[in-house]
Every structure is written in C-alpha cells, then in structure tokens.
C-alpha cells in the first residue's frame, strides 16, 4: 500500500526504492562498523598481548597468598608452588630468600603450633609430633619445640580434659572410664598419663565412681596398654 513503510527482518526501510536504484539502503539497527569490529586482542584493536610474567614473581605471589591464611612451613610452601607448576629452581630461589629475611621460619612455626594446639585442642606431644611431621617440619626442629611441653603440663591438661568431659558423661563407671581413656589416647596421651588422669578424676566425682577407681590398677593397665601399642 502506497505511503506505508515496508518492514524487514532487521529494521524499517524509510521509503520504497526508486526505479533503477540498486544501491543497498541502510537500515536502522546495529551499525555495520560495530558488527564488523575486530575481536579484542587481534591486530587493529590497538591492544598488545601482555608479556609473560617472571616465574619468580608468580612464585612470590603464591607464597604470600598462602601465608596470608596462616603461617606455613617451607615444605608446605614448596608443595604449593609445585602444584602450581613453578619450577624447582624458581621455588628454591624464592624460598631461600624468604628464609633469609625470616618470612618463613620452621622453628618458630613449630613452637607456635605446639603452644596453640595444646592449649586449644588439648593435644599431647605424640599427636603434635605427628602433625608437625605431616607439615614437613624435620625431626630435630620438632623435638626442640615439643621439649617446651613438659610432662607436668601434659598431665595437668589431661586431667582438665577429663574433668570437663565428666560433667556430661553418662553410664556406668567402667564404661565412662573406657571412653575417657580412649579420648585421651586419640589426643596422643600415653597410656600411663591417660589412665591416671581418668582414675583420679573418677575418684573425686562420686562415691560410686571412687569405689570403682579404687579397684583400678593403673600400673598394670599401663603396662598392658603399652604392650598393645608395641
């Protein structure tokens, strides 16, 4: 119909073409220049690809991100770098430098770990030694840190753990005794420390528990448990 615009798939043609005119008429919509723009990063975009980053710089960033979460041992950081594909040469360079300036210090890590895990979780030296070994702390460094946790402190912590558990413990004295000794064993306490801590705590709890505790031969049980461990 004359005077009406013809609708196309992409827009409106404002007027009918004149006779003999074969020139494509622009349509409203997305400009051709925009639709034909070169993809980002290709020639003609005015942007050049970034040069490859120095491997040591990448290694430092990985280490700092790891250390921002919590202190790490050298072995832990070396493992993180290896998993990210950092070469052994670059990792050694960065970790040696961090050793020099004190950013990583396995001895300080071990001391702090022993103090915090004993106070917070009540872990004994045997359990703490296992955790330090899993984190790559060498035996001499771990032994030095564990030496700061003496037997008296360990026994006092075991007794405190038992007393806290006894407040909510239910069942016959013999069942409670076994559960509490097992709890201390899982935290790394040796049989003698665990058995004596539970016996003493039961003796102070009630008459029934005290009577049961009197029947416990701590030395004999300790010897038996030690033999089983071997």
């Amino acid at each position: 119909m004359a005077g009406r615009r013809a609708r196309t798939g992409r827009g409106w043609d404002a007027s009918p073409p004149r006779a003999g005119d074969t020139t494509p008429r622009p349509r409203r919509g997305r400009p051709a220049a925009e639709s034909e723009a070169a993809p980002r990063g290709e020639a003609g975009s005015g942007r050049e690809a970034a040069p490859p980053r120095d491997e040591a710089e990448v290694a430092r960033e990985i280490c700092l991100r790891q250390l921002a979460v919590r202190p790490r041992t050298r072995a832990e950081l070396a493992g993180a770098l290896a998993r990210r594909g950092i070469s052994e040469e670059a990792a050694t360079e960065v970790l040696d430098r961090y050793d020099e300036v004190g950013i990583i210090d396995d001895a300080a890590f071990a001391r702090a770990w022993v103090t915090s895990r004993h106070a917070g979780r009540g872990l004994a030296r045997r359990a703490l030694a296992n955790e330090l070994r899993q984190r790559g702390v060498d035996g001499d460094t771990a032994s030095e840190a564990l030496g700061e946790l003496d037997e008296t402190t360990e026994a006092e912590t075991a007794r405190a753990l038992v007393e806290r558990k006894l407040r909510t413990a239910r069942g016959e004295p013999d069942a409670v005794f076994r559960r509490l000794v097992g709890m201390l064993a899982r935290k790394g306490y040796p049989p003698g420390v665990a058995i004596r801590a539970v016996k003493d705590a039961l003796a102070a709890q009630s008459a029934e528990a005290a009577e049961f505790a009197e029947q416990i031969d701590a030395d004999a049980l300790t010897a038996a448990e030690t033999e089983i461990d071997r």
Side-chain angles (χ1 to χ4, degrees):
M1 179 181 294
R4 296 182 62 181
R5 297 178 179 175
R7 186 168 185 176
T8 69
R10 298 185 58 190
W12 290 97
D13 192 345
S15 62
R18 291 172 294 179
D21 185 359
T22 59
T23 303
R25 299 178 64 81
R27 294 171 178 172
R28 294 180 184 178
R30 188 178 180 185
E34 179 183 344
S35 63
E36 297 174 2
R40 293 177 61 185
E42 295 184 3
S45 67
R47 301 177 64 180
E48 297 181 357
R53 298 177 64 193
D54 177 64
E55 190 178 28
E57 179 185 353
V58 176
R60 285 190 291 271
E61 289 185 0
I62 294 171
C63 288
L64 292 176
R65 285 198 297 270
Q66 291 281 314
L67 292 167
V69 177
R70 67 165 176 80
R72 308 274 179 174
T73 64
R74 180 179 178 121
E76 286 180 309
L77 292 176
L81 294 176
R83 288 191 296 272
R84 294 293 298 274
I86 301 298
S87 69
E88 184 176 351
E89 180 181 0
T92 300
E93 175 189 343
V94 170
L95 296 177
D96 283 349
R97 179 56 180 164
Y98 280 6
D99 270 332
E100 291 174 6
V101 300
I103 293 178
I104 52 177
D105 184 339
D106 281 5
F109 174 92
R111 290 192 298 269
W113 188 270
V114 168
T115 299
S116 64
R117 296 288 283 174
H118 180 74
R121 298 289 302 278
L123 298 184
R125 283 174 292 183
R126 184 168 60 181
L128 292 167
N130 185 52
E131 290 189 342
L132 291 175
R133 182 169 57 252
Q134 291 175 349
R135 283 155 183 79
V137 178
D138 67 77
D140 291 340
T141 302
S143 295
E144 184 177 349
L146 292 167
E148 298 183 8
L149 178 58
D150 58 50
E151 293 181 0
T152 300
T153 302
E154 197 173 53
E156 290 173 351
T157 302
R159 176 65 182 270
L161 288 169
V162 171
E163 289 176 347
R164 186 161 64 244
K165 289 290 186 180
L166 271 177
R167 294 170 193 159
T168 57
R170 298 292 182 270
E172 296 298 320
D174 59 335
V176 173
F177 175 81
R178 289 194 300 271
R179 287 202 304 270
L180 293 178
V181 170
M183 178 269 293
L184 291 179
R186 289 190 295 274
K187 288 181 177 291
Y189 289 89
V193 173
I195 291 168
R196 288 185 177 87
V198 178
K199 177 179 178 178
D200 292 346
L202 285 173
Q205 186 191 34
S206 66
E208 181 185 6
E211 183 179 355
F212 172 79
E214 283 295 322
Q215 302 172 13
I216 297 173
D217 187 338
D219 292 334
L221 278 177
T222 299
E225 292 293 333
T226 302
E227 187 64 29
I228 291 174
D229 287 345
R230 291 176 181 173

